[in-house]
Amino acid sequence: MNEMDEMDERRVVVGVDGSPTAQGAALWAGLVADRTRCPLWIVHACTDEFSSMAGSVVPGEHPFSTRMRRRHARDALQDALDPVRQHFPNVSVHCGTVPGPPGPVLAAAGAEAALVVVGAVGVGAAHTLSIGSTAIEVAQNTPCPVVVWRGGSPPPPNRAPVLVGVDGSDTSEQTLLTAAEFADLFGAPLLAVQSCSSAHVGEVTVPDLADWNNHEKVKRDRLNLAVDAAAVRFPALSIRTLITMNDPHRVLLERAVSAQLVVLGSPGGPWGSSGAALGPVSRHLLLHNPCPTMICHNGTG
């Protein structure tokens, strides 16, 4: 296993902490790395800046504690590495510890990565938690797309759809293109969902039905343009659209039950909120979505 130093610009990064969820996240990240022919970086963040697998004893710390922390780091990396090498022997895998808290470490790694994957909950998380603070922090602050993995060992790619929530904003096209890329990668259909449940357009309240109908048409036209762009780039991809007046939280969760990945842009519209790292729908899906959730900041992928 190599210490992390210079990293490939198109790497896939996964954070591991020894939890079963992190091991599942690493295997899913290995699948993506295999399909995209990107190197995979398996990262264990060491919360003490003086400690690493090759570092010195922390001043004032008992040597036994230092040895235990190093052993935990080695075990966490090895437990994630072994299944990846077994299932994806052609993937170039690099492992190592990085000093610092997990959230900032993974967010910083995302500045140069194609994708960051993190488990929804980690070691020591309460059984009642649906998502831990590290996953929320990484989803909020990482510039590249982030997948929050939920569950144990991931199933192989199947025909379950990739689900994307779009809001008709300027960033919707790029969010949909990112979702289309992953659907094409997995050989799965893409379902684009757009909710028109609110009579508010930004800070303006739609005063009557005629204006609302016009607003809905504009959104539908933007969705169609985004779908057309995705169809040109991925001509073999099956794309369906759903425009609904129902609440986006409920619609997406209902559809997520039969999906293998949910993709959301943030911020913007009902899926996010201007000036916030995560909007109400993105946060709600991260808390309750039964399958992996991808957050694409500013619609970029």
Side-chain angles (χ1 to χ4, degrees), residues 23 48 111 142 168 170 243 265:
Q23 292 168 24
D48 195 308
T142 305
D170 293 340
I243 297 181

Side-chain angles (χ1 to χ4, degrees), residues 11-221:
R11 69 192 183 275
V12 175
V13 175
V14 58
V16 299
D17 60 0
S19 66
T21 305
Q23 292 168 24
L27 199 52
W28 190 88
L31 168 66
V32 174
D34 184 63
R35 294 285 175 104
T36 58
R37 299 183 180 180
C38 290
L40 175 66
W41 288 86
I42 303 177
V43 179
H44 175 78
C46 189
T47 54
D48 195 308
E49 65 178 348
F50 296 104
S51 176
S52 72
M53 291 173 59
S56 59
V57 174
V58 177
E61 181 182 66
H62 194 282
F64 177 76
S65 298
T66 300
R67 289 197 301 271
M68 290 299 294
R69 183 165 54 248
R70 291 175 182 171
R71 175 181 293 180
H72 173 72
R74 286 194 297 269
D75 289 347
L77 291 168
Q78 197 68 54
D79 289 346
L81 174 64
D82 288 344
V84 169
R85 282 190 168 161
Q86 178 184 352
H87 288 84
F88 310 108
N90 295 324
V91 172
S92 174
V93 185
H94 307 267
C95 293
T97 57
V98 176
V105 163
L106 293 174
E112 299 295 336
L115 179 72
V116 170
V117 184
V118 63
V121 292
V123 169
H127 293 298
T128 55
L129 286 178
S130 60
I131 187 170
S133 58
T134 294
I136 290 287
E137 185 177 3
V138 174
Q140 286 179 331
N141 299 319
T142 305
C144 74
V146 174
V147 168
V148 176
W149 170 259
R150 189 180 301 280
S153 297
N158 51 60
R159 290 296 295 171
V162 171
L163 178 64
V164 57
V166 293
D167 60 7
S169 67
D170 293 340
T171 62
S172 289
E173 181 176 336
Q174 186 57 55
T175 301
L176 194 144
L177 283 173
T178 300
E181 178 183 0
F182 278 83
D184 185 69
L185 198 67
F186 297 148
L190 178 67
L191 174 60
V193 176
Q194 182 169 280
S195 173
C196 298
S197 63
S198 172
H200 295 274
V201 186
E203 300 299 322
V204 180
T205 300
V206 178
D208 54 39
L209 184 60
D211 285 346
W212 172 247
N213 287 339
N214 181 65
H215 167 58
E216 184 180 2
K217 180 180 182 302
V218 169
K219 279 196 164 187
R220 187 185 298 272
D221 290 344

Side-chain angles (χ1 to χ4, degrees), residues 242-265:
L242 172 64
I243 297 181
T244 176
M245 296 293 292
N246 294 323
D247 175 64
H249 301 77
R250 183 168 64 85
V251 173
L252 287 173
L253 282 179
E254 286 176 351
R255 298 282 174 167
V257 172
S258 58
Q260 62 175 299
L261 177 67
V262 175
V263 181
L264 300 170

